[in-house]
Amino acid sequence: MSADFNLLKVFLAVAQAGNFSAAADQLGVTRSAVSQSMRRLEDDLGIALVQRSTRSVSLTEAGVRLRAQITEPFTAIASAVEEVVDDGPPRGLLRVAVTSIAERFLSGPLVATFAAAYPNITLDVTVTDEEFDIVGAGFDAGVRLGEVIEQDMVAVPLSGLQRQVVVASPRYLQRHGTPEAPFELLNHLCIGWRPAPSVAPYRWEFAEDGREFDVGVNSKITTNDMLLMIRTALAGGGITIGMEETFLPWIESGELVSLLQPYLPPFPGFYLYFPNRRNQPPKLRALIAHVRAYREAMEPS
């Protein structure tokens, strides 16, 4: 049994986009053409690959298996074609999944300078804290803390050592007092974080005398949006936690106060990571080189 290469390409676009319209836009065809291609592929294989609803599609068990099996070969083929026709500056769509706490990547300058240096590359950044296979989801690269990156990936440092901080506004501390130890947070109004609705809220991590421990604070407010956490803390709504780089402007201005510093040691920082392939596409090599140069400029040795 064989399947049309072009039909498999349509299937991957649908699997990655999550609906026919977005897949059609990505492929430059009509929604009807995508729908017909999917029906042809399913008829050829004799099995349903997607479950259709009014606004979206989801993969069946067979669809999940097929995507897992063909994503990497298709990516390798695309990279090989790019290598063959590489007769000019890097070009194409570059998809990157970035954790919401990677301030170094998301603050603006790194992305802006990359766009200026490589005008023929379209950078598509998805900010997400969900952990998933970036290759299977159709991304070229990701940005995460080094400790959560899979061992089979290549990781390029984006930042040096990082540090979490616990912060609150002076107004909140005047009303409720200042915690002197992590477990005192249980008696305070806390603004917590969770990466997704189905995931338990993050347990705040600390260390003392080389011993690591965490505290399950009783968050009065929980969100997956760092900006809401910052704004609520600035408004005196409670104590929150996050990366030092994220809160630094407000700490320096005095609008937020850093707490419990002896319990928050530094740890390895953020990395740009990507699959270990012999021939990386030029657009990804361009991002890797840019990240390296940007880090050297930010943190000269």
Side-chain angles (χ1 to χ4, degrees), residues 188-208:
H188 281 267
L189 302 175
C190 291
I191 306 161
W193 176 83
R194 70 163 78 228
S198 59
V199 180
Y202 168 70
R203 293 177 65 89
W204 297 16
E205 298 176 87
F206 302 93
E208 184 178 23

Side-chain angles (χ1 to χ4, degrees), residues 51-279:
Q51 295 175 330
R52 297 159 175 82
S53 66
T54 305
R55 297 190 178 183
S56 65
V57 297
S58 59
L59 298 183
T60 63
E61 184 178 349
V64 171
R65 290 201 306 270
L66 180 61
R67 181 179 67 175
Q69 291 294 326
I70 70 173
T71 295
E72 190 163 349
F74 264 74
T75 303
I77 291 170
S79 297
V81 171
E82 281 195 51
E83 285 288 334
V84 170
V85 301
D86 182 21
D87 57 355
R91 60 174 59 85
L93 176 65
L94 184 63
R95 301 184 68 222
V96 185
V98 183
T99 176
S100 67
I101 59 175
E103 183 70 17
R104 180 70 57 89
F105 193 96
L106 298 174
S107 61
L110 186 152
V111 170
T113 53
F114 178 78
Y118 300 99
N120 295 317
I121 296 177
T122 299
L123 184 62
D124 186 320
V125 178
T126 297
V127 180
T128 174
D129 293 300
E130 296 189 55
E131 295 184 18
F132 56 87
D133 174 16
I134 59 169
V135 176
F139 289 92
D140 298 285
V143 175
R144 290 285 186 272
L145 286 171
E147 62 189 32
V148 298
I149 296 175
E150 296 87 347
Q151 294 297 313
D152 61 347
M153 292 285 172
V154 179
V156 173
L158 173 62
S159 72
L161 291 175
Q162 294 289 297
R163 184 169 175 264
Q164 286 206 110
V165 290
V166 173
V167 297
S169 70
R171 178 171 40 164
Y172 174 87
L173 298 175
Q174 289 170 3
R175 291 178 178 175
H176 301 279
T178 302
E180 301 295 337
F183 287 104
E184 293 181 21
L185 291 168
L186 297 174
N187 300 317
H188 281 267
L189 302 175
C190 291
I191 306 161
W193 176 83
R194 70 163 78 228
S198 59
V199 180
Y202 168 70
R203 293 177 65 89
W204 297 16
E205 298 176 87
F206 302 93
E208 184 178 23
D209 298 328
R211 179 182 65 88
E212 297 180 353
F213 62 96
D214 58 54
V215 177
V217 301
N218 300 315
S219 299
K220 300 302 180 184
I221 300 169
T222 305
T223 180
N224 68 335
D225 182 22
M226 180 58 65
L227 184 56
L228 176 59
M229 294 168 69
I230 294 170
R231 288 172 169 169
T232 305
L234 288 169
I239 299 174
T240 195
I241 191 171
M243 304 305 295
E244 186 172 36
E245 284 188 346
T246 300
F247 292 111
L248 195 56
W250 295 280
I251 293 173
E252 291 179 340
S253 69
E255 295 174 88
L256 292 175
V257 178
S258 181
L259 311 170
L260 305 173
Q261 294 186 39
Y263 299 94
L264 294 161
F267 52 84
F270 294 97
Y271 291 77
L272 173 74
Y273 69 100
F274 43 88
N276 185 7
R277 297 197 185 99
R278 185 169 61 87
N279 294 318

